[in-house]
Amino acid sequence: MAMRYIPEPFRIKMVETIKVLTREEREQKIKDAQYNVFKLKGEDCYIDLLTDSGTGAMSHDQWAGIMRGDEAYAGANSYFNLLKAGQDIFGYEYIQPVHQGRAAEKVLLPLLLCEGKFAISNMFFDTTRAHVILTGARPIDCVVAEAKQPAARAPFKGNMDNAKLEALIKEKGADKIGVIITTITNNSAGGQPVSMQNIRETAAICKKYNIPYCIDAARYAENSFFIKRDEPEFKNKSMREIIRETFSYADMFTLSAKKDGIVNMGGLLGVKDEKSKLVTDIKAQCINYEGFYTYGGLAGRDMEALAVGLYEGIDEDFLRYRIGQMEYISSRLEDAGIAHQVPVGGHGVFIDAAAMLPHIPYNEFPAQALVIELYKEAGIRCCDIGSYMLGNNPDTGEQLKSEFEFARMAVPRRVYTQAHFDIVADALIAVSKRAKEIKGYRITWEPPILRHFQASLEPIR
């Protein structure tokens, strides 16, 4: 039986009109987009769950911040307001604004990695994986085995497999490991959280082998809520206390603020020790690629909105509602017998397309096939987190087989209501009833890296 929907802890002051295309129109739109949902127009999507990145609704306080933005090229007041907020929340001495998370990766990772080196993570998401490869290094995923069983309920399925991590360090050689990254929450594993104990253990291994430890912090607030809820040691701790301890174990972090920062554009790069040479190098890289280091590719108004959003994103009432949205959708899908990663994660619901479409092999992209069917069914846009997104082996060119074949429905913050989520659940149920009729897809053109953003596909007849 579906759980009770948690009411919104806010009032709605502005609305945006959306429309529903007919089934025939949707079928033509996705065909014209060469069966790539990234090529669809936003206005042609009724419920857009493509990503929760930069798609949230800002508050009246954030919009007020927009008006206060100081657009000085160097040393703007808005920069110092953001710096103060970042230092307060994360406890790091150096906070570098950048225009989004992948910019932080572009600035940082070439300083740590090069050809012949490796980066290890609990699981790399697409842009991080790509930036590792672009340095000439190679990424290695090291998530716990429980994550690979979507139907199996276990806490903290996003954890690093620390026994495997230490074995990999010994196998490759500590001098060959340029950085170890914990992604919180673990997006590729279904938005699954990482426990504080796991972070402590990973940090101890990094310290033992003198390897830099980085947190990919895009959804750090959601992860902190799970720690408070599910890790007994932290049930009486505040969000601020949990966040401070989480980041105390790492040397640096990258952050796409377009998620838990609840802004449409922005990111941060943090370093614990401001006096380290790494900070000097980051400033130089930032000036080269993003702009002067006191704005990092952001307008002053963006920095003001982010300084406010960082605090709004860690509000416990908001996070309870946020996670409750995912639990509501999950409960409806469980009632219908639709397999997905459970327990549900923080920012979306990840449908197990391999379970729904077992007749479609990984190299015909079952998750992408499900994504396309959802758009045809109800104008819902989501995305593949599977073999289609994973791409090809950078050394051999062969199609890689993903650990998962997920269709990710990522929920924007403060945007959709219970009625929208009921439509999503109903659409999935309808698609599941005709699952045996659904066919796979082949790629007709693809770029060499991050192909899922641009590739062209066609259905296999």
Side-chain angles (χ1 to χ4, degrees):
M1 183 176 179
M3 65 166 280
R4 175 178 171 269
Y5 186 81
I6 294 179
E8 288 78 4
F10 52 82
R11 290 191 293 261
I12 298 168
K13 297 180 72 173
M14 185 179 73
V15 297
E16 177 187 358
T17 301
I18 54 177
K19 63 181 180 179
V20 186
L21 302 180
T22 66
R23 171 81 187 209
E24 291 74 20
E25 287 173 326
R26 294 194 297 269
E27 288 182 350
Q28 187 61 49
K29 294 289 185 184
I30 193 65
K31 181 179 180 182
D32 292 345
Q34 299 168 310
Y35 300 98
N36 185 335
V37 291
F38 285 93
K39 296 180 181 181
L40 289 168
K41 289 183 178 179
E43 66 181 19
D44 294 332
C45 303
Y46 176 53
I47 301 174
D48 200 344
L49 307 180
L50 183 68
T51 180
D52 63 317
S53 179
T55 54
M58 292 201 300
S59 70
H60 64 293
D61 287 329
Q62 288 179 290
W63 281 108
I66 291 280
M67 298 303 295
R68 291 193 301 267
D70 178 359
E71 304 303 340
Y73 182 89
N77 286 335
S78 299
Y79 163 72
F80 291 107
N81 290 338
L82 178 57
L83 185 67
K84 182 179 178 181
Q87 290 171 334
D88 178 39
I89 291 171
F90 302 109
Y92 277 32
E93 293 178 356
Y94 186 73
I95 301 292
Q96 174 63 63
V98 288
H99 83 270
Q100 63 184 87
R102 70 190 63 181
E105 296 164 356
K106 172 62 177 173
V107 168
L108 177 66
L109 292 180
L111 301 174
L112 303 172
L113 297 168
C114 60
E115 189 171 349
K117 291 208 169 189
F118 299 89
I120 305 174
S121 176
N122 54 335
M123 284 199 87
F124 287 100
F125 199 58
D126 55 0
T127 61
T128 323
R129 183 182 301 276
H131 278 122
V132 170
I133 293 170
L134 286 169
T135 69
R138 292 293 176 258
I140 303 175
D141 290 330
C142 193
V143 70
V144 291
E146 295 94 320
K148 302 172 186 179
Q149 304 169 50
R153 286 191 172 273
F156 299 108
K157 289 170 79 171
N159 279 354
M160 185 85 75
D161 184 336
N162 281 318
K164 181 180 177 183
L165 172 64
E166 191 154 20
L168 281 167
I169 294 170
K170 292 176 180 177
E171 174 192 335
K172 304 294 184 184
D175 60 319
K176 296 291 186 183
I177 312 298
V179 65
I180 291 170
I181 301 172
T182 292
T183 304
I184 56 174
T185 56
N186 190 331
N187 190 359
S188 292
Q192 292 294 304
V194 179
S195 72
M196 188 74 79
Q197 183 58 35
N198 187 257
I199 291 169
R200 287 173 183 154
E201 292 169 358
T202 304
I205 292 170
C206 291
K207 187 174 182 179
K208 177 180 177 180
Y209 293 98
N210 196 31
I211 299 170
Y213 185 31
C214 179
I215 290 178
D216 176 352
R219 298 174 181 90
Y220 72 98
E222 293 170 4
N223 200 81
S224 299
F225 182 85
F226 283 116
I227 288 173
K228 181 179 176 68
R229 191 190 71 179
D230 298 335
E231 213 164 349
E233 177 187 350
F234 295 94
K235 67 178 181 179
N236 296 319
K237 298 283 189 179
S238 69
M239 287 295 105
R240 298 276 288 279
E241 289 172 319
I242 294 168
I243 291 165
R244 275 291 190 107
E245 180 166 344
T246 297
F247 285 86
S248 72
Y249 296 115
D251 303 303
M252 65 203 76
F253 72 83
T254 58
L255 168 68
S256 170
K258 296 165 66 178
K259 285 85 168 174
D260 281 348
I262 326 182
V263 289
N264 305 125
M265 186 56 67
L268 297 175
L269 172 52
V271 180
K272 185 182 288 183
D273 181 8
E274 188 171 23
K275 298 180 180 64
S276 69
K277 182 180 181 299
L278 182 62
V279 169
T280 303
D281 293 339
I282 284 171
K283 287 180 178 179
Q285 284 276 89
C286 187
I287 292 169
N288 289 339
Y289 296 117
E290 289 288 290
F292 191 62
Y293 63 82
T294 63
Y295 76 93
L298 290 176
R301 54 185 174 268
D302 295 323
M303 292 190 282
E304 287 285 358
L306 177 52
V308 176
L310 287 172
Y311 288 105
E312 292 184 353
I314 63 175
D315 179 78
E316 195 169 328
D317 289 337
F318 164 72
L319 288 166
R320 186 176 296 107
Y321 151 77
R322 170 80 176 151
I323 305 306
Q325 287 183 313
M326 311 312 149
E327 292 175 334
Y328 176 79
I329 302 169
S330 176
S331 68
R332 284 223 47 203
L333 299 183
E334 285 201 77
D335 287 348
I338 294 176
H340 58 289
Q341 180 71 289
V342 293
V344 73
H347 69 284
V349 180
F350 289 61
I351 310 303
D352 188 350
M356 185 183 291
L357 307 172
H359 57 286
I360 300 180
Y362 76 93
N363 57 356
E364 294 179 9
F365 315 126
Q368 181 68 4
L370 179 54
V371 165
I372 292 166
E373 289 304 312
L374 271 174
Y375 179 74
K376 290 180 181 178
E377 180 67 30
I380 297 162
R381 177 163 66 168
C382 55
C383 76
D384 170 288
I385 306 290
S387 297
Y388 171 61
M389 185 190 79
L390 189 59
N392 301 317
N393 184 306
D395 298 314
T396 67
E398 294 180 2
Q399 171 65 53
L400 294 167
K401 186 177 188 299
S402 176
E403 297 279 7
F404 313 101
E405 299 294 344
F406 286 142
R408 183 188 76 172
M409 302 187 303
V411 178
R413 291 160 183 80
R414 305 190 292 208
V415 170
Y416 292 115
T417 66
Q418 179 180 358
H420 292 112
F421 299 132
D422 283 333
I423 290 171
V424 169
D426 291 343
L428 269 166
I429 292 167
V431 170
S432 70
K433 289 178 179 177
R434 54 181 173 82
K436 292 181 181 178
E437 304 168 12
I438 298 171
K439 306 297 183 185
Y441 286 78
R442 67 167 61 91
I443 294 173
T444 59
W445 176 84
E446 62 183 303
I449 200 161
L450 291 173
R451 71 179 184 191
H452 56 293
F453 290 121
Q454 299 187 71
S456 301
L457 301 99
E458 65 181 10
I460 295 172
R461 303 298 181 188

